[in-house]
Each structure stands twice: as structure tokens, then as C-alpha cells.
Amino acid sequence: MALARRRTARRGCARGRYLDRLRRGEQCFLAFVDGVLAHANWTCFTWGDALPGHPIRLRPGEVYTTDAFTPPAFRGKGVHALVLGTMLLEARRQGARPAYTLGQVDRPDAHKGLRALGWQESGRIYYFLPRGAVRTPFLLRRGRTDPMFRD
């Protein structure tokens, strides 16, 4: 029973986060293959949930693409690249430059895909989130990380 309650609470939290994004005018991109959800991602133009306790704060003309979700059956098939390319094209049409995203160090395939789309690393943050914590202790910050730490 406790597990079910926790699962519901997490779902409620995500639902609230997505409703908040829609209210702010952020854009959700969904890709379907034969009626099955193959990918989901967001572009944020005001701020975005980046690291726990440290949202990325955007200035006019900047865009942030959130962590994407691609179900295992659709990974490695170029779906993410197609959607992200479409997202960036639409953001450019709306006047956004530069674009930011986050990538996990232990996902070299994701980094390779981002570089293939023309992304360049501007900064790196190493952090960890202890279980139950709401703030993120940082181990290292280097390069351009200012959008993560703006007031």
C-alpha cells in the first residue's frame, strides 16, 4: 500500500510539473509510430526543471530542451534526433538562440547524438542527489554554467 501511494504521489508531481509547463506556454513534442508513443520532449523558453533545486533560468531568446523520453523499443532508431531537430528548428523560428540541454556523463550514445546534431558542450556540472534530499550537492562546475545559477 505504501508503494502505491508513493507511485501516485510521483505521478501527481509529474502531472503538476507538466500542467505548469503548459500554463507557462512551454511546448511539448510527441512522436508516435503506428499509434504508439515513441518519444516525448519539451522546449522551455522561460525556465525549466534541470537539476533538483536548480532550475535553468532562461533569458529572452534562449531555449532549454528537457530530458527526453524514448521507450526502449524505439531507442537507436533516430527518433530522438528527428524530434530534437524539429524542436530546435521551431525554437529558431521563434527567435531562440542559444539552446541548452543536459546530458548524463554515463550516456556516451546520447552525447554522440547531440554532437551529430551540432550541439557543443559549453559547461559541465558533476553532482549527486542523496536519497530524500531536495538540494543537489555539486562536486565540480566548469565552463559556462551560468543559466543554472541565475537569480
Side-chain angles (χ1 to χ4, degrees), residues 15-53:
R15 182 173 189 257
R17 181 172 42 244
Y18 299 146
L19 286 173
D20 182 54
R21 287 179 185 169
L22 289 170
R23 284 187 201 109
R24 290 194 320 257
E26 314 300 15
Q27 298 172 341
C28 181
F29 288 75
L30 303 173
F32 292 87
V33 175
D34 296 327
V36 177
L37 180 64
H39 189 79
N41 204 344
W42 289 81
T43 54
C44 297
F45 294 93
T46 56
W47 66 273
D49 308 301
L51 303 179

Side-chain angles (χ1 to χ4, degrees), residues 45-46 57-63 97-98 100 144 146-147 150:
F45 294 93
T46 56
R57 300 184 193 287
L58 302 165
R59 293 185 175 134
E62 295 179 331
V63 65
R97 278 198 173 95
Y100 303 103
R144 184 165 182 239
D146 59 296
R150 292 177 180 155

Side-chain angles (χ1 to χ4, degrees), residues 86-143:
T86 302
M87 292 168 63
L88 293 173
L89 183 62
E90 181 60 27
R92 278 191 205 113
R93 285 184 188 141
Q94 296 179 42
R97 278 198 173 95
Y100 303 103
T101 195
L102 299 176
Q104 294 175 262
V105 170
D106 63 345
R107 296 278 322 277
D109 55 328
H111 291 237
K112 182 180 173 186
L114 289 171
R115 283 191 300 275
L117 286 169
W119 289 74
Q120 296 175 353
E121 183 177 303
S122 62
R124 191 170 279 224
I125 301 169
Y126 290 98
Y127 73 96
F128 66 98
L129 184 63
R131 191 172 296 208
V134 293
R135 297 290 294 176
T136 306
F138 296 100
L139 302 175
L140 173 74
R141 284 175 42 188
R142 79 169 179 236

